[in-house]
Amino acid sequence: MVRRTRAEMEETRATLLATARRVFRERGYADTSMDDLTAQAGLTRGALYHHFGDKKGLLAAAVEQIDSEMDLRLQTISDNAEDAWEGFRSRCSAYLKMALEPEIQRIVLRDARAVLGGASPESQRHCIESMQRLIENLMQQDVVAEADPQALASLIYGSLAEAALWVADGEDGDARLERGMAALNLLLRGLLVKP
């Protein structure tokens, strides 16, 4: 029996994930066979089973990786904004725009919903908690009207998540995005403290 080093195991896992992301993005989960996927990765089914359990486990890992990348991108938007409100508004808009990026559209919004039932509870909780911290900060600055920050974060997250699915699911994605952005701007303006 050949023993593999930790670095070799990590490399195998990374290769499977990178290949899965490319193939799922191009063909979709349903039209990707495990044999084709492992052949394109230059690995065996055994490697896939060892690291992910099955094709569904591989999809879940790909979604988790993409979610983490999306979160980092959104955090960078908040961190680089001129002020907290602009960061929040830009972050919400960017999330909606991501719905038209081919990898996010296919893997996270279409396949994950069909195969995994949508975002994991951990991912949803993380997004809501992140949004809640931003909202609490905006309330402390008297930018956003007082309300329960967790309830408000849940409502905004739910609205964004459903709108992103709606944008991603249509043939007229650009037109849907434009309409979604207009609705989002209206929704966000309603949060502001009135002068």
Side-chain angles (χ1 to χ4, degrees):
M1 182 173 157
V2 176
R3 304 231 48 169
R4 302 191 68 190
T5 67
R6 178 181 217 85
E8 289 172 326
M9 297 291 282
E10 289 173 5
E11 183 180 336
T12 298
R13 187 176 200 284
T15 298
L16 282 165
L17 265 173
T19 303
R21 286 177 63 166
R22 180 177 49 78
V23 176
F24 290 159
R25 179 186 68 241
E26 292 168 0
R27 299 184 191 162
Y29 177 86
D31 292 332
T32 300
S33 75
M34 285 180 42
D35 288 333
D36 187 41
L37 197 147
T38 53
Q40 288 199 38
L43 297 165
T44 64
R45 270 183 170 221
L48 188 148
Y49 290 134
H50 174 76
H51 289 281
F52 302 103
D54 56 14
K55 188 171 94 167
K56 187 174 177 180
L58 181 57
L59 175 64
V63 169
E64 182 180 335
Q65 188 177 62
I66 296 166
D67 274 346
S68 293
E69 292 167 4
M70 291 170 65
D71 189 51
L72 184 61
R73 288 170 60 190
L74 294 171
Q75 188 61 49
T76 300
I77 289 168
S78 296
D79 292 346
N80 293 328
E82 290 183 25
D83 60 57
W85 174 250
E86 181 57 30
F88 183 74
R89 194 193 63 69
S90 295
R91 183 181 178 131
C92 291
S93 297
Y95 180 82
L96 206 53
K97 290 174 186 173
M98 287 179 189
L100 290 183
E101 294 180 20
E103 184 174 56
I104 294 169
Q105 184 180 48
R106 175 70 75 116
I107 298 172
V108 176
L109 297 174
R110 289 181 179 168
D111 287 345
R113 186 175 199 187
V115 178
L116 305 172
S120 71
E122 296 82 26
S123 175
Q124 291 175 0
R125 194 168 25 258
H126 174 75
C127 290
I128 291 169
E129 288 170 356
S130 177
M131 187 166 283
Q132 181 179 340
R133 286 190 298 274
L134 295 170
I135 290 169
E136 287 169 345
N137 180 42
L138 289 166
M139 286 180 183
Q140 289 169 359
Q141 294 178 27
D142 291 324
V143 174
V144 168
E146 284 294 322
D148 182 284
Q150 185 177 28
L152 198 52
S154 296
L155 285 166
I156 295 168
Y157 167 76
S159 298
L160 282 170
E162 284 302 313
L165 289 168
W166 176 70
V167 168
D169 208 31
E171 294 299 319
D172 58 341
D174 289 330
R176 285 182 181 214
L177 176 61
E178 186 177 327
R179 294 180 356 238
M181 293 297 283
L184 174 63
N185 288 331
L186 177 64
L187 176 74
L188 293 180
R189 278 197 312 269
L191 301 177
L192 295 172
V193 170
K194 304 300 183 234

